[in-house]
Amino acid sequence: MRKNLLFLALLGLMVASCATEKDYLVTIETRHGNMYAVLFDDTPRHKENFVSLAENQRYDSTEFHRIIKNFMIQGGDVFGKEELPEEQWYTIPAEIHKHRIHSKGMIAAARQGDNINPERRSSGTQFYIVQGRVYDQLELTTDMKRLQENFMRYTQLESNRNLREQYTQLYEFGDFNGINKLMLSHKEEMERFFNTNLDKKLTSQQIEKYTTVGGTPHLDDAYTVFGRVVEGLEVLDKIAAEPTGPGDKPREPVFMKVKVEKISKERITRDYGFEYID
């Protein structure tokens, strides 16, 4: 009897601890509405940095200055807003994890390219939110670069003249989706002809996410994903639909105001559906 009471008491303490343990809820306010996000504990440097910038109101009045529909929205240029000299543009060491993929709503750190940033260090302030698109499983699991290379070789054969003409017509109309479908429809015969395998290995998580909610799979394992929008994806879509001009800059500014609030993890799970996994 005493053992049972002790067990129940310990269980009660554990439940109470979970209920009182807190985390940061991020609110990103825009003229299209609010997005709410949670930052990951397994990217501690990025989380601490983002929270500090938000608490000190440094993100306020920065813009989503680069928008590419069906790809991502990028913003948070604090250094530019504050007109800091370039020597003060600090970076953060990469915290890239294979299980943190670029599905829709993920928040990741912008950075300079591998040619000048081989360590893949993140910008100290700029981030992007993934919109992406939903993929067909065949396209998702095919190495599209190698598929295209083999397709171009394949269509040079006189016996495939009709196929080459179909490709040319689609290209002239700018129908790149149609080109992908055409190449994929001939994948198996090219694999037989060239005695090669054009598959691309993906995890079950990648396949499930990218064929349902969508995202940008080609960015996986290259950028630090450090958070996720848990409510307000419709706001993301509205921002991504903004008309843009040179440099993918929206014609009408999309300013943001960012705040963070510590609330119980239990409430975050209840109200926003974010599951904490030990």
Side-chain angles (χ1 to χ4, degrees):
M1 182 67 175
R2 287 182 178 179
K3 288 183 179 180
N4 289 338
L5 288 173
L6 180 59
F7 172 77
L8 290 173
L10 289 172
L11 182 61
L13 286 172
M14 291 172 63
V15 171
S17 175
C18 291
T20 57
E21 191 175 359
K22 293 185 176 183
D23 195 9
Y24 290 99
L25 178 70
V26 178
T27 303
I28 303 174
E29 300 177 5
T30 76
R31 60 180 168 83
H32 288 295
N34 295 349
M35 290 178 282
Y36 300 90
V38 175
L39 307 179
F40 302 137
D41 288 332
D42 58 9
T43 52
R45 293 184 179 182
H46 286 73
K47 182 171 185 172
E48 180 183 9
N49 179 70
F50 190 98
V51 168
S52 175
L53 291 167
E55 286 182 329
N56 288 287
Q57 301 178 324
R58 295 180 71 187
Y59 273 131
D60 295 356
S61 299
T62 60
E63 302 176 45
F64 283 105
H65 61 269
R66 184 175 178 230
I67 292 173
I68 304 177
K69 190 175 182 180
N70 296 326
F71 183 37
M72 58 89 221
I73 62 174
Q74 180 175 331
D77 183 12
V78 172
F79 301 149
K81 184 197 78 168
E82 297 179 352
E83 299 182 345
L84 297 179
E86 193 167 342
E87 58 266 23
Q88 294 184 31
W89 295 7
Y90 67 87
T91 58
I92 306 170
E95 295 178 299
I96 298 171
H97 303 295
K98 289 194 74 67
H99 68 285
R100 297 298 186 194
I101 67 173
H102 284 75
S103 54
K104 184 175 182 178
M106 289 296 183
I107 302 173
R111 66 174 179 84
Q112 292 182 308
D114 289 357
N115 56 327
I116 58 174
N117 179 28
E119 295 179 350
R120 296 179 170 176
R121 294 179 67 92
S122 301
S123 162
T125 69
Q126 290 193 44
F127 63 93
Y128 60 91
I129 305 176
V130 177
Q131 184 191 37
R133 64 179 177 88
V134 175
Y135 285 78
D136 173 86
Q137 185 165 335
L138 177 61
E139 178 186 3
L140 181 65
T141 56
T142 297
D143 187 331
M144 296 301 291
K145 182 179 179 181
R146 290 183 56 234
L147 177 72
Q148 184 178 32
E149 291 171 351
N150 281 271
F151 184 82
M152 299 311 294
R153 289 168 57 201
Y154 194 56
T155 55
Q156 295 309 305
L157 300 173
E158 186 58 30
S159 57
N160 292 327
R161 181 178 179 181
N162 182 56
L163 189 59
R164 184 167 66 246
E165 290 174 351
Q166 290 181 59
Y167 172 86
T168 301
Q169 188 176 30
L170 289 168
Y171 184 82
E172 288 175 349
F173 278 101
D175 186 358
F176 300 109
N177 187 47
I179 288 174
N180 283 346
K181 288 182 179 179
L182 179 65
M183 293 191 299
L184 287 165
S185 68
H186 293 273
K187 176 190 173 188
E188 290 186 2
E189 62 189 77
M190 282 190 287
E191 287 179 322
R192 289 193 296 269
F193 185 84
F194 292 113
N195 191 27
T196 189
N197 188 312
L198 299 174
D199 289 340
K200 178 171 62 178
K201 289 185 178 181
L202 296 177
T203 65
S204 58
Q205 179 198 24
Q206 288 173 305
I207 294 172
E208 191 275 326
K209 288 292 185 181
Y210 292 132
T211 58
T212 54
V213 299
T216 56
H218 67 280
L219 298 180
D220 287 349
D221 302 325
Y223 295 79
T224 296
V225 178
F226 66 92
R228 176 165 73 85
V229 173
V230 293
E231 185 175 299
L233 290 178
E234 72 282 356
V235 175
L236 164 64
D237 291 336
K238 289 177 182 177
I239 296 173
E242 283 275 345
T244 57
D248 303 312
K249 188 176 178 66
R251 297 190 184 278
E252 295 292 330
V254 182
F255 292 104
M256 72 177 81
K257 181 178 180 180
V258 182
K259 64 180 183 180
V260 290
E261 176 188 9
K262 261 198 166 182
I263 63 177
S264 72
K265 289 185 174 182
E266 182 183 51
R267 179 182 163 192
I268 290 175
T269 298
R270 183 188 71 233
D271 293 351
Y272 300 97
F274 182 83
E275 296 289 343
Y276 288 91
I277 301 174
D278 293 332

